[in-house]
Amino acid sequence: AQKVTQAQTEISVVEKEDVTLDCVYETRDTTYYLFWYKQPPSGELVFLIRRNSFDEQNEISGRYSWNFQKSTSSFNFTITASQVVDSAVYFCALSEAQSGTYKYIFGTGTRLKVLA
Amino acid sequence: DTGVSQDPRHKITKRGQNVTFRCDPISEHNRLYWYRQTLGQGPEFLTYFQNEAQLEKSRLLSDRFSAERPKGSFSTLEIQRTEQGDSAMYLCASSLANSHYGYTFGSGTRLTVV
Protein backbone atom coordinates (compact mmCIF):
# COMPACT_ATOMS: atom_id res chain seq x y z
CA ALA A 1 0.00 0.00 0.00
CA GLN A 2 1.12 3.54 -0.62
CA LYS A 3 1.91 5.69 2.36
CA VAL A 4 3.84 8.83 3.21
CA THR A 5 4.99 9.47 6.76
CA GLN A 6 6.10 12.82 8.08
CA ALA A 7 6.86 12.03 11.67
CA GLN A 8 7.66 15.61 12.68
CA THR A 9 4.40 17.37 13.43
CA GLU A 10 5.91 20.73 14.30
CA ILE A 11 9.43 22.15 14.34
CA SER A 12 10.51 25.51 15.74
CA VAL A 13 13.86 27.04 14.89
CA VAL A 14 15.47 30.41 15.30
CA GLU A 15 16.16 32.40 12.17
CA LYS A 16 19.39 31.44 10.36
CA GLU A 17 19.36 27.91 11.75
CA ASP A 18 19.35 24.98 9.35
CA VAL A 19 16.39 22.62 9.55
CA THR A 20 15.64 19.24 7.98
CA LEU A 21 12.13 17.95 7.36
CA ASP A 22 11.84 14.19 7.13
CA CYS A 23 9.73 12.19 4.71
CA VAL A 24 9.49 8.40 4.50
CA TYR A 25 7.37 6.72 1.85
CA GLU A 26 6.05 3.26 1.02
CA THR A 27 5.19 2.01 -2.44
CA ARG A 28 5.29 -1.21 -4.44
CA ASP A 29 5.51 0.64 -7.72
CA THR A 30 8.92 0.84 -9.37
CA THR A 31 8.11 4.10 -11.12
CA TYR A 32 6.95 6.86 -8.86
CA TYR A 33 7.36 10.53 -8.18
CA LEU A 34 8.00 12.37 -4.98
CA PHE A 35 7.11 15.97 -4.30
CA TRP A 36 7.43 18.64 -1.68
CA TYR A 37 4.84 21.38 -1.36
CA LYS A 38 4.72 24.42 0.91
CA GLN A 39 1.41 25.61 2.36
CA PRO A 40 1.59 29.12 3.80
CA PRO A 41 -1.27 30.48 5.94
CA SER A 42 -3.06 31.62 2.78
CA GLY A 43 -3.77 27.94 2.09
CA GLU A 44 -2.43 27.53 -1.43
CA LEU A 45 -0.08 24.60 -1.98
CA VAL A 46 3.12 25.83 -3.61
CA PHE A 47 5.19 23.34 -5.59
CA LEU A 48 8.82 23.10 -4.47
CA ILE A 49 10.34 20.04 -6.10
CA ARG A 50 9.63 16.81 -7.94
CA ARG A 51 11.82 13.73 -8.05
CA ASN A 52 11.31 10.54 -10.05
CA SER A 53 12.25 7.14 -8.70
CA PHE A 54 15.10 6.71 -11.15
CA ASP A 55 16.91 9.87 -10.22
CA GLU A 56 18.62 9.73 -6.87
CA GLN A 57 20.72 12.80 -7.38
CA ASN A 58 20.42 15.27 -4.60
CA GLU A 59 19.29 18.70 -5.58
CA ILE A 60 20.02 22.17 -4.33
CA SER A 61 18.01 25.26 -5.12
CA GLY A 62 19.18 28.32 -3.27
CA ARG A 63 18.68 27.68 0.44
CA TYR A 64 16.70 24.51 -0.25
CA SER A 65 18.17 21.06 -0.73
CA TRP A 66 16.69 17.60 -1.03
CA ASN A 67 18.16 14.22 -0.21
CA PHE A 68 16.52 11.23 -1.92
CA GLN A 69 17.60 7.79 -0.74
CA LYS A 70 15.78 4.79 -2.21
CA SER A 71 17.57 2.42 0.15
CA THR A 72 15.79 3.97 3.11
CA SER A 73 12.69 5.17 1.19
CA SER A 74 13.33 8.69 2.33
CA PHE A 75 13.11 12.08 0.66
CA ASN A 76 14.25 14.68 3.16
CA PHE A 77 14.17 18.43 2.74
CA THR A 78 16.70 20.82 4.26
CA ILE A 79 16.38 24.58 4.55
CA THR A 80 19.69 26.30 5.15
CA ALA A 81 19.82 29.60 7.03
CA SER A 82 16.07 29.60 7.67
CA GLN A 83 14.08 32.80 7.42
CA VAL A 84 10.79 33.89 8.97
CA VAL A 85 9.17 33.67 5.51
CA ASP A 86 9.87 29.95 5.53
CA SER A 87 7.24 29.51 8.24
CA ALA A 88 4.56 27.27 6.75
CA VAL A 89 3.31 23.71 6.64
CA TYR A 90 5.37 21.51 4.36
CA PHE A 91 3.93 18.41 2.71
CA CYS A 92 5.69 15.50 1.12
CA ALA A 93 3.69 13.58 -1.49
CA LEU A 94 3.99 10.38 -3.50
CA SER A 95 2.52 9.73 -6.93
CA GLU A 96 2.61 6.29 -8.51
CA ALA A 97 2.86 5.98 -12.26
CA GLN A 98 1.20 2.57 -12.56
CA SER A 99 -2.35 3.76 -12.01
CA GLY A 100 -2.12 6.44 -14.66
CA THR A 101 -4.03 8.76 -12.38
CA TYR A 102 -1.00 10.50 -10.95
CA LYS A 103 -2.98 11.20 -7.84
CA TYR A 104 -0.97 12.19 -4.83
CA ILE A 105 -0.69 10.51 -1.46
CA PHE A 106 0.24 13.22 0.99
CA GLY A 107 1.87 12.99 4.37
CA THR A 108 0.30 14.75 7.31
CA GLY A 109 2.66 17.69 6.98
CA THR A 110 5.28 19.34 9.15
CA ARG A 111 4.56 22.80 10.53
CA LEU A 112 7.74 24.85 10.52
CA LYS A 113 7.94 27.94 12.70
CA VAL A 114 10.93 30.18 12.19
CA LEU A 115 11.35 32.65 15.01
CA ALA A 116 13.01 36.02 14.51
CA ASP B 1 -3.07 32.99 -17.18
CA THR B 2 -3.37 33.58 -13.46
CA GLY B 3 -3.23 29.99 -12.31
CA VAL B 4 -5.97 27.85 -10.83
CA SER B 5 -8.92 29.83 -9.47
CA GLN B 6 -11.42 28.59 -6.94
CA ASP B 7 -14.65 30.22 -5.92
CA PRO B 8 -15.76 30.96 -3.27
CA ARG B 9 -12.78 31.17 -0.93
CA HIS B 10 -14.95 30.61 2.10
CA LYS B 11 -18.41 29.16 2.54
CA ILE B 12 -20.42 28.80 5.73
CA THR B 13 -23.55 26.74 5.43
CA LYS B 14 -26.12 25.16 7.68
CA ARG B 15 -26.23 21.42 8.01
CA GLY B 16 -28.50 19.89 5.42
CA GLN B 17 -27.98 22.60 2.80
CA ASN B 18 -26.44 22.00 -0.61
CA VAL B 19 -23.27 23.78 -1.65
CA THR B 20 -21.42 24.07 -4.94
CA PHE B 21 -17.80 25.06 -5.52
CA ARG B 22 -16.20 26.08 -8.75
CA CYS B 23 -12.69 25.55 -10.07
CA ASP B 24 -11.17 27.18 -13.14
CA PRO B 25 -7.97 25.37 -14.11
CA ILE B 26 -5.06 26.67 -16.13
CA SER B 27 -6.50 26.84 -19.63
CA GLU B 28 -4.16 24.43 -21.38
CA HIS B 29 -4.31 21.83 -18.61
CA ASN B 30 -6.53 18.89 -19.47
CA ARG B 31 -6.34 17.14 -16.11
CA LEU B 32 -8.23 18.46 -13.12
CA TYR B 33 -8.17 17.09 -9.57
CA TRP B 34 -10.20 17.66 -6.43
CA TYR B 35 -8.73 17.06 -2.98
CA ARG B 36 -10.11 17.54 0.52
CA GLN B 37 -7.98 18.70 3.44
CA THR B 38 -9.19 18.54 7.02
CA LEU B 39 -7.50 20.36 9.87
CA GLY B 40 -4.05 19.04 10.64
CA GLN B 41 -4.05 16.57 7.79
CA GLY B 42 -2.63 16.37 4.33
CA PRO B 43 -4.92 16.69 1.32
CA GLU B 44 -6.78 13.54 0.30
CA PHE B 45 -7.69 12.67 -3.27
CA LEU B 46 -11.38 12.87 -4.16
CA THR B 47 -11.64 12.66 -7.94
CA TYR B 48 -10.04 13.60 -11.23
CA PHE B 49 -11.01 14.46 -14.77
CA GLN B 50 -9.20 14.20 -18.03
CA ASN B 51 -10.92 16.69 -20.25
CA GLU B 52 -14.63 16.21 -19.52
CA ALA B 53 -14.37 12.56 -18.46
CA GLN B 54 -14.35 11.74 -14.76
CA LEU B 55 -11.89 8.86 -14.67
CA GLU B 56 -11.53 8.05 -11.00
CA LYS B 57 -13.43 8.66 -7.79
CA SER B 58 -12.18 8.00 -4.28
CA ARG B 59 -14.23 6.04 -1.77
CA LEU B 60 -14.22 9.30 0.19
CA LEU B 61 -16.63 10.68 -2.40
CA SER B 62 -19.95 9.57 -1.00
CA ASP B 63 -23.23 9.66 -2.91
CA ARG B 64 -23.82 13.17 -1.59
CA PHE B 65 -20.84 14.44 -3.59
CA SER B 66 -20.89 15.01 -7.31
CA ALA B 67 -18.35 16.61 -9.58
CA GLU B 68 -18.64 17.71 -13.17
CA ARG B 69 -16.42 19.23 -15.79
CA PRO B 70 -18.61 20.19 -18.72
CA LYS B 71 -16.72 20.81 -21.95
CA GLY B 72 -13.46 20.02 -20.21
CA SER B 73 -13.00 23.52 -18.89
CA PHE B 74 -14.10 24.59 -15.40
CA SER B 75 -15.29 22.06 -12.84
CA THR B 76 -17.90 22.11 -10.11
CA LEU B 77 -18.05 20.08 -6.92
CA GLU B 78 -21.45 19.84 -5.29
CA ILE B 79 -22.17 18.53 -1.83
CA GLN B 80 -25.80 17.73 -1.06
CA ARG B 81 -27.29 17.61 2.42
CA THR B 82 -24.09 18.82 4.03
CA GLU B 83 -22.95 17.34 7.32
CA GLN B 84 -20.57 18.76 9.92
CA GLY B 85 -18.00 16.18 8.86
CA ASP B 86 -17.88 17.84 5.44
CA SER B 87 -16.17 20.88 6.97
CA ALA B 88 -12.78 21.05 5.28
CA MET B 89 -10.69 22.85 2.69
CA TYR B 90 -11.53 21.70 -0.82
CA LEU B 91 -8.57 22.05 -3.14
CA CYS B 92 -8.57 21.95 -6.90
CA ALA B 93 -5.47 21.32 -9.00
CA SER B 94 -4.72 21.01 -12.69
CA SER B 95 -1.98 19.57 -14.84
CA LEU B 96 -1.19 18.47 -18.35
CA ALA B 97 -2.01 14.85 -19.14
CA ASN B 98 0.96 12.53 -18.85
CA SER B 99 2.89 15.27 -17.16
CA HIS B 100 4.81 14.21 -14.13
CA TYR B 101 5.90 17.70 -13.35
CA GLY B 102 3.43 18.26 -10.58
CA TYR B 103 0.14 20.01 -10.28
CA THR B 104 -0.75 23.62 -9.88
CA PHE B 105 -3.11 24.00 -6.95
CA GLY B 106 -5.71 26.65 -6.37
CA SER B 107 -6.10 28.48 -3.07
CA GLY B 108 -8.96 26.26 -2.03
CA THR B 109 -12.51 26.72 -0.76
CA ARG B 110 -12.89 26.49 2.99
CA LEU B 111 -16.25 25.00 3.91
CA THR B 112 -17.69 25.31 7.39
CA VAL B 113 -20.90 23.44 8.15
CA VAL B 114 -22.70 24.72 11.24
Side-chain angles (χ1 to χ4, degrees):
Chain A
Q2 329 93 309
K3 188 178 178 182
V4 174
T5 302
Q6 294 181 255
Q8 303 152 308
T9 306
E10 184 168 313
I11 301 175
S12 291
V13 298
V14 177
E15 209 170 17
K16 296 184 184 173
E17 284 186 358
D18 298 348
V19 58
T20 295
L21 310 182
D22 297 334
C23 173
V24 174
Y25 63 92
E26 293 176 32
T27 178
R28 284 183 227 155
D29 211 347
T30 53
T31 303
Y32 54 88
Y33 302 88
L34 296 164
F35 302 86
W36 276 94
Y37 279 83
K38 175 181 180 180
Q39 189 173 45
S42 59
E44 184 172 345
L45 283 159
V46 178
F47 170 81
L48 295 177
I49 191 169
R50 159 199 169 268
R51 254 296 171 263
N52 75 53
S53 50
F54 300 110
D55 181 2
E56 286 193 71
Q57 269 195 320
N58 292 330
E59 181 158 337
I60 297 174
S61 175
R63 296 184 297 107
Y64 296 169
S65 62
W66 290 270
N67 183 303
F68 175 30
Q69 293 198 329
K70 282 178 81 169
S71 60
T72 55
S73 297
S74 65
F75 186 43
N76 296 337
F77 172 31
T78 297
I79 302 175
T80 302
S82 59
Q83 300 176 1
V84 172
V85 294
D86 296 327
S87 297
V89 182
Y90 290 86
F91 289 98
C92 179
L94 164 71
S95 176
E96 295 175 331
Q98 189 176 13
S99 69
T101 308
Y102 297 106
K103 62 187 176 189
Y104 289 6
I105 308 299
F106 282 89
T108 49
T110 296
R111 181 178 298 279
L112 174 64
K113 292 185 178 178
V114 182
L115 308 171
Chain B
D1 201 334
T2 55
V4 178
S5 299
Q6 291 189 246
D7 184 68
R9 289 295 309 275
H10 303 274
K11 177 73 177 178
I12 300 174
T13 190
K14 290 184 178 177
R15 193 172 50 185
Q17 298 293 304
N18 298 345
V19 293
T20 300
F21 312 140
R22 177 181 171 121
C23 171
D24 286 273
I26 291 173
S27 55
E28 60 266 29
H29 285 182
N30 41 18
R31 285 199 173 197
L32 186 147
Y33 299 80
W34 285 98
Y35 283 77
R36 180 173 71 186
Q37 185 179 17
T38 53
L39 208 60
Q41 299 297 313
E44 295 173 293
F45 171 78
L46 291 179
T47 188
Y48 99 99
F49 293 83
Q50 180 152 326
N51 300 313
E52 65 276 9
Q54 187 174 19
L55 297 184
E56 186 169 333
K57 293 196 291 187
S58 159
R59 283 171 289 179
L60 291 175
L61 215 63
S62 75
D63 291 345
R64 297 183 298 103
F65 288 70
S66 62
E68 293 182 342
R69 192 182 183 197
K71 301 177 185 176
S73 56
F74 71 92
S75 175
T76 57
L77 178 67
E78 181 184 15
I79 308 174
Q80 296 183 325
R81 304 181 304 281
T82 51
E83 301 172 356
Q84 286 191 317
D86 297 330
S87 295
M89 174 80 89
Y90 290 84
L91 292 160
C92 176
S94 69
S95 74
L96 292 168
N98 301 323
S99 166
H100 319 312
Y101 292 99
Y103 311 155
T104 302
F105 279 91
S107 298
T109 294
R110 182 168 296 285
L111 172 67
T112 303
V113 182
V114 297

